[in-house]
Structure formats: structure tokens, C-alpha cells
Amino acid sequence: MYKETVNPCGEIPIFHSEFLCEEVYSPEDVLCSLSSDKNIEVNMVVEGEGIHCVFDQVIPCNVGDIYIMPPHTPHAFFVPDEKLQLKIRRLSFNINDWFDGDVAAQDHPNFCYGIFNDNAVAAYAMLNDYTQKKIASLFDDIEYEISKTKNNWADAIRSYLSIMFIIIGRYINTTIKNTSSNSSKGWNIVISAIKYIRKNFSQTTLTLSSIAGALYISESHLSRLFKGLTGKSFSEYLRDIRLEHACKLLRETDMKVGEIVTACGLSDVYTFYKNFTLRYHMTPHEYRKSNSPIKNKIISKGEILMSILNDISANLQIGKAKIVAELVQQAIDEGSNPEQILNEGLLAGMSIIGEKFKNGEVFVPEVLVAARAMNKGTQVLKPYLAQSNVTPNGKACIGTIQGDLHDIGKNLVKMMMEGKGIEVIDLGTDVAPSTFVQTAIEQNCQIICCSALLTTTMWGMEEVVKEAEKAGIRDKVKIMIGGAPVNEDFCCQIGADCYTPDAASAADAAIAFCKA
Ligand code: B1M
């Protein structure tokens, strides 16, 4: 609700407005919501309760509280939660149009009849019932004069404003002081920077230096002013503005996370997820689910599922093992196919981390936490990938080749084979050729499965073939190989029996061997 009365005759502008404040207070977002006017503002709380923020000051406000803000002072009203309402009456005018000399000179002790002193940048008063009514009636009189513009209306308003300031001056409780001696100029610069950021945040190339250039000041000066007056660094502010816009897009559109990242000028999905989860303690998907106002819109099962799969991939990349496990369960509950969860959620995320690792964008610790998250996710999937109540179809032993510690692929192969009813003995990682062969002999395995991820160690698979020949079991056992660096040609070259590119085809091939 917003009602405004503006002087219609065009002589001396003065505005009276009455508005309902609905924005919910959130400490992280305050700075983004502050706004300032070129006029002086007199704000009076007429209904409800709320919060008034001036720079980094947070002041609870109630009916009868008055806030006077000099020109260009960033401030905003909020409600503590969405059930509460706050109604404000505001007068806004250029003080030089209405007063002369001391009363209008911002640095004079008699500025606004002495309401501001000691370099104060904001003043507020709590009025008693009697005074509150008096001030409310002055607001009414001024509003009336503005709307009617009768003879000498400007003189009448000038008198009402003087009386108002003098009365309020007696009740001033607090003034918020400038921390910097020339902070009014500083604020102007910071406000210009904020405006510039808000206009251009979607450009990935936006930097402090480009803004400093646009405002003709040095980067270090802008950086100091920004932090000093807002309490936030430029990069923190820019990140918050972008995240806030991302929230808006998540709430109000169907855009995919990747598209939102681009639209907000963010660098990549990985960083977006990391910052979003840190800031809002939930994933973008969860945020969209709980905040989307698009009521009556039918979101297809496929869309929900795709969004969960994207979340699985993104959380895996930042190593959020617990969240990954929960999301995998959620995807299953939504009726998704376990293989799709594996391929389009878990493995999709792992392959992005692999690329980043290759390009030097992430390092071993990040890969390790991602691998841990992958394992947590596959643990949840395991019972769904495995078919229950199947009688053993054969026996195999599996391990990662000597010198190689990668076990995620191997674990998947094992899981898929077990799903087909094959009993699998897991030898772990860094397995010597003799261990594969001895296990096959002792446990009577039909298949030896070797996994390798490193080009430097894949030749260990040839050793397994030779060891099996040496032990005289080569014609009794099938040797299957797999892993990123090996292929069909390599399989033939070392004399193994079968190469498969993924876990599902490995399980199919193994079952075929067992049944043959
Ligand atoms: Co390492 N690593 N890593 N790493 N790591 C790779 C493999 C690498 C390609 C990364 C890169 O540079 N792009 C690179 C190898 C380069 C090369 O040799 N050409 C590499 C390197 C260099 C290293 C280190 C040397 C790094 C270092 O220390 N500087 C080091 C080596 C340690 C060692 O083994 N001695 C190392 C360490 C690690 C971590 C410990 C941090 C971690 C492993 C954690 C773990 O496994 N518990 C790790 C990881 C996670 C990776 C990447 C990122 C992911 C591997 C993975 O799990 N993929 C990987 C890059 C990448 O692959 N994009 C990389 C998902 C998994 C499901 O796929 O294992 O291929 P994969 O399995 C697939 C198929 O290959 C197939 O089925 C699965 C899919 O369904 N499959 C089989 C696998 N085995 C099969 C067997 C079969 C049939 C199919 O029949 C028997």
C-alpha cells in the first residue's frame, strides 16, 4: 500500500506519503536494501512494529517513533517477520527550499532547529501519546495544505514544519554519528558505487577497479570507503547482491541453475553452490522448493528429478557427503531409476571434479571429499542397484591394480555385479598380481576383475594375466579389465578376456561368463 501527496502547483516541491513496509529484516540483506533520498525525510511510525536500519545500526521501532534522515543518508525500514506490519508516514522535502540560513545549513548547530548535532547523520525520537497526537495532526495539516494549495499554503507548511521540528527536538533520544569526518562526501561515493554495482552485477567482468575508474577515484580509496561506511568489502557486497538476485530467479522463474549462474554474473556452478549453501544453509533446489510462489504451476516429475540430479552433482563437487546421501534418497523417493541417479547425478559431478582436477582448478583434498561424497551416495543406492532375493550366479574377485588407490569405479563394478547375483570378493586397492590369482584359486572364482585408473600402473594387469598362466589356472578363470586408461586394444595386447567401459556392462559380461 502506498499513498502519496505531492504539491501539484509546481512551486516548491514537498511530498507526503503513507506506506506499509513489508520487507522482512535479514541481517545479510540489509545493506542491499538501504536507500537514500536527495531530500530530508521525516518518518513517523503510525502502526505496527518493525526495525529501522541506518548504515549498520539496527533500531527497533514502534508506534510514535520518529526518524529524521538528512539528505543522502542510506536507511530502510523492515518488519521482523512477515506476520507483522509497519505503517509509516513520511514527509520529504529539500530543506533549502523551506528554511534559510542556520536551519538549512547541514553543518550548523541549528540545522533543523538543532535536531542534529555533533556531526550526526540521523536522529530519532520516541514520542509520548500526547505529543504523538500533536505531530500526527501536524502531518494531517501539512498533507491538507499540500493537496489544497490554498493561498499562502507554502507559508502555512513552513510554519507547521518549524513547529514540528521544534517539538521533535525536545524528544530526541539518539543521534547516529558520522564515523568519518567527511563521510557525507564518502557516502555519496559509496552510494554511487552501490548504484553502479546494482546496475552491472550481471557482468562477470565487474571489478572494484572498473567501478573506481567509472567514479574517477582510486581503487584503494574506494575500497577503504566502502568497507568503512558499509561494514562490508566490495566483493562481499557484490557476492550478496548476486546471491540475492539468484534467490529472486529461483523463486520467480524456471531457469536452470546454470542459467541463473550466468544471469547473475557468477563465475561457475561449483562456487555458486558453495556460497549459496554457506549463506542460506540450504541448496538452491531446496530454496526453490520452499520459496517458489508459482502456485498453480504444475511442475512435472521430470523437472523435479532433473533439479535433484543437478543438486546431487553440485553437492558432490563441494564434498557435502551428508546432503548427497539425502538427495540420492530423495531422488529414489521421487521414483527415479537408480542408474539414472548414478549416471546423471553422482558420476556427472565426479566427472566435473575430474576435469577441474586436470585443469588445476581443484586439488587432491577437494577430490578426496568429492570421492567421499560419491561413496556416501553410492551406499544409499546400493540396495536399489542390487536385485534382492537372487541366488548366487557365480563368484568373482575384484581389486584395483598394484600402485593404484582409486576405488570408486571398482566399488561400482562390485555393486553392479552383486546386483546381478554374483558373489564378489573385494580385495581393495593396491592389489598385487599374486593376490588376485591366489584368491581365485582358494575361493574358486570364475572371474578375476582388475580395475586401473593410472596409466603408470595399468601394466600391472598384464602381470595378473602372466601370474594366472604361471599358476596354471588361465583356462579356468576369465580375466576382466576396466578403468579410464584402458581399452579393448589394451585388453587384447595383454591377453585378458574382456574389457568393458562401465560398471553395468561389466556386470552383464560377468553374468554371461558365469552362465557359459
Ligand atoms: Co586421481 N587421478 N590421482 N585421485 N583421480 C585420476 C584418475 C586422473 C585421470 C585425474 C586427472 O589428472 N585428470 C589422474 C590419472 C592420470 C593418468 O594416469 N592418466 C589421477 C592422478 C594423476 C592421481 C594422483 C597421481 C594425483 C596425485 O597424487 N598427484 C593420485 C594417485 C594415487 C594413487 O592411486 N597412487 C590420485 C589420487 C586421487 C584421490 C585419492 C584424491 C582420488 C581417489 C579416491 C578414491 O578413489 N577413493 C582421486 C580421484 C577421485 C580421481 C578422479 C577425479 C576420479 C576417479 C573416479 O573415481 N571416477 C580421476 C579423474 C577422472 O576420472 N575424471 C582421477 C569415477 C569412477 C566411477 O570412474 O574409476 O573410471 P572410474 O570407473 C568407471 C569406469 O572406468 C569403469 O566403471 C566405472 C563407471 O561405471 N571401470 C571398470 C572401472 N573399473 C572397472 C573394472 C571393470 C570394468 C569397468 O572390469 C573389471
Side-chain angles (χ1 to χ4, degrees):
M1 190 189 78
Y2 187 85
K3 202 175 80 187
E4 188 174 73
T5 323
V6 187
N7 154 34
C9 69
E11 282 175 40
I12 315 176
I14 177 164
F15 308 87
H16 170 265
S17 55
E18 190 174 283
F19 59 94
L20 204 56
C21 165
E22 285 167 338
E23 193 168 349
V24 177
Y25 173 73
S26 135
E28 297 89 356
D29 297 335
V30 164
L31 190 56
C32 305
S33 310
L34 296 185
S35 61
S36 64
D37 194 347
K38 62 180 186 335
N39 289 328
I40 196 161
E41 281 179 18
V42 182
N43 296 282
M44 182 179 181
V45 180
V46 290
E47 229 176 85
E49 57 184 280
I51 292 168
H52 184 230
C53 295
V54 194
F55 314 134
D56 53 350
Q57 306 271 335
V58 178
I59 303 153
C61 49
N62 292 292
V63 174
D65 288 356
I66 293 251
Y67 298 84
I68 306 184
M69 317 304 301
H72 304 293
T73 308
H75 74 114
F77 287 95
F78 300 92
V79 282
D81 75 64
E82 59 214 352
K83 284 183 228 99
L84 293 170
Q85 291 201 337
L86 182 66
K87 200 194 272 180
I88 312 279
R89 258 178 118 169
R90 173 176 293 166
L91 284 171
S92 149
F93 52 90
N94 180 348
I95 190 144
N96 291 300
D97 291 342
W98 293 93
F99 298 99
D100 298 324
D102 301 352
V103 178
Q106 215 165 325
D107 49 359
H108 195 278
N110 201 31
F111 175 55
C112 285
Y113 292 96
I115 281 180
F116 298 94
N117 48 48
D118 293 343
N119 212 19
V121 287
Y124 78 97
M126 285 184 243
L127 307 180
N128 57 26
D129 273 1
Y130 173 75
T131 321
Q132 207 178 300
K133 282 189 191 118
K134 246 173 143 176
I135 298 291
S137 104
L138 283 168
F139 263 91
D140 291 341
D141 292 340
I142 293 171
E143 189 195 2
Y144 178 82
E145 290 296 335
I146 294 172
S147 58
K148 297 291 182 248
T149 53
K150 295 196 166 183
N151 280 347
N152 301 328
W153 71 279
D155 286 343
I157 288 181
R158 192 170 289 111
S159 319
Y160 291 138
L161 285 176
S162 304
I163 298 168
M164 187 183 267
F165 278 143
I166 291 165
I167 296 175
I168 294 171
R170 288 200 219 129
Y171 289 87
I172 289 298
N173 310 82
T174 306
T175 48
I176 292 172
K177 300 202 170 50
N178 267 347
T179 42
S180 141
S181 57
N182 59 356
S183 89
S184 157
K185 192 171 164 233
W187 262 112
N188 287 344
I189 294 173
V190 171
I191 294 292
S192 305
I194 286 178
K195 277 189 192 149
Y196 194 92
I197 297 170
R198 294 185 83 104
K199 203 167 150 208
N200 300 294
F201 68 85
S202 61
Q203 295 171 12
T204 38
T205 48
L206 185 66
T207 58
L208 183 65
S209 126
S210 62
I211 299 171
L215 299 178
Y216 301 106
I217 58 167
S218 82
E219 192 179 332
S220 56
H221 181 47
L222 179 58
S223 166
R224 264 198 313 276
L225 268 183
F226 205 96
K227 177 90 187 175
L229 292 177
T230 68
K232 275 190 191 182
S233 71
F234 159 77
S235 53
E236 284 166 342
Y237 180 76
L238 178 60
R239 185 202 54 207
D240 288 355
I241 286 279
R242 285 173 167 162
L243 285 179
E244 207 189 286
H245 189 62
C247 284
K248 185 174 180 315
L249 296 177
L250 284 165
R251 282 194 311 266
E252 295 173 9
T253 72
D254 288 345
M255 286 165 80
K256 294 195 182 112
V257 170
E259 292 167 348
I260 291 177
V261 165
T262 314
C264 296
L266 293 153
S267 56
D268 57 71
V269 176
Y270 171 81
T271 323
F272 170 60
Y273 261 83
K274 203 162 143 187
N275 289 335
F276 194 97
T277 326
L278 266 176
R279 166 91 186 268
Y280 299 107
H281 308 292
M282 62 174 101
T283 67
H285 167 71
E286 287 164 345
Y287 180 88
R288 175 169 264 164
K289 218 171 160 186
S290 52
N291 286 283
S292 176
I294 312 171
K295 292 276 165 17
N296 308 320
K297 179 182 179 297
I298 299 159
I299 301 170
S300 74
K301 249 188 145 152
E303 280 173 314
I304 295 175
L305 189 62
M306 275 322 292
S307 161
I308 303 176
L309 293 177
N310 285 338
D311 267 9
I312 292 177
S313 161
N315 278 286
L316 183 141
Q317 292 173 48
I318 52 171
K320 296 272 177 208
K322 195 166 160 264
I323 298 178
V324 167
E326 284 165 8
L327 287 168
V328 169
Q329 189 57 56
Q330 201 183 328
I332 290 164
D333 297 343
E334 293 286 345
S336 167
N337 168 351
E339 281 176 26
Q340 189 186 15
I341 302 174
L342 180 65
N343 292 326
E344 293 171 33
L346 296 168
L347 287 176
M350 203 66 204
S351 100
I352 295 172
I353 271 290
E355 267 308 295
K356 288 191 180 240
F357 187 44
K358 193 167 80 187
N359 300 332
E361 290 168 49
V362 297
F363 302 96
V364 171
E366 283 97 331
V367 180
L368 265 179
V369 290
R372 195 184 51 138
M374 168 96 194
N375 278 330
K376 277 262 181 215
T378 47
Q379 282 311 312
V380 179
L381 267 191
K382 192 173 174 180
Y384 301 93
L385 286 168
Q387 292 164 354
S388 52
N389 301 329
V390 279
T391 46
N393 277 324
K395 205 171 189 180
C397 61
I398 192 167
T400 309
I401 212 73
Q402 197 159 36
D404 193 334
L405 300 174
H406 297 85
D407 65 358
I408 299 173
K410 181 232 5 140
N411 293 343
L412 278 177
V413 174
K414 178 187 168 206
M415 214 182 278
M416 292 298 223
M417 287 187 175
E418 285 176 340
K420 295 268 176 193
I422 296 171
E423 187 184 342
V424 184
I425 298 161
D426 190 351
L427 301 171
T429 58
D430 189 19
V431 181
S434 58
T435 309
F436 281 103
V437 173
Q438 279 311 310
T439 309
I441 296 169
E442 286 160 19
Q443 300 286 332
N444 210 12
C445 299
Q446 291 121 297
I447 311 170
I448 291 176
C449 302
C450 305
S451 178
L453 263 285
L454 298 171
T455 41
T456 45
T457 56
M458 64 189 203
W459 292 97
M461 291 175 162
E462 190 177 25
E463 297 305 316
V464 177
V465 177
K466 286 183 183 159
E467 193 76 26
E469 279 165 4
K470 219 161 70 189
I473 60 159
R474 187 64 190 92
D475 54 341
K476 294 191 195 74
V477 74
K478 298 290 182 196
I479 299 179
M480 290 179 59
I481 66 161
V486 300
N487 57 24
E488 193 73 58
D489 289 348
F490 179 74
C491 178
C492 295
Q493 196 180 341
I494 64 169
D497 296 298
C498 170
Y499 157 79
T500 50
D502 55 55
S505 55
D508 288 341
I511 205 86
F513 281 137
C514 293
K515 286 188 174 158

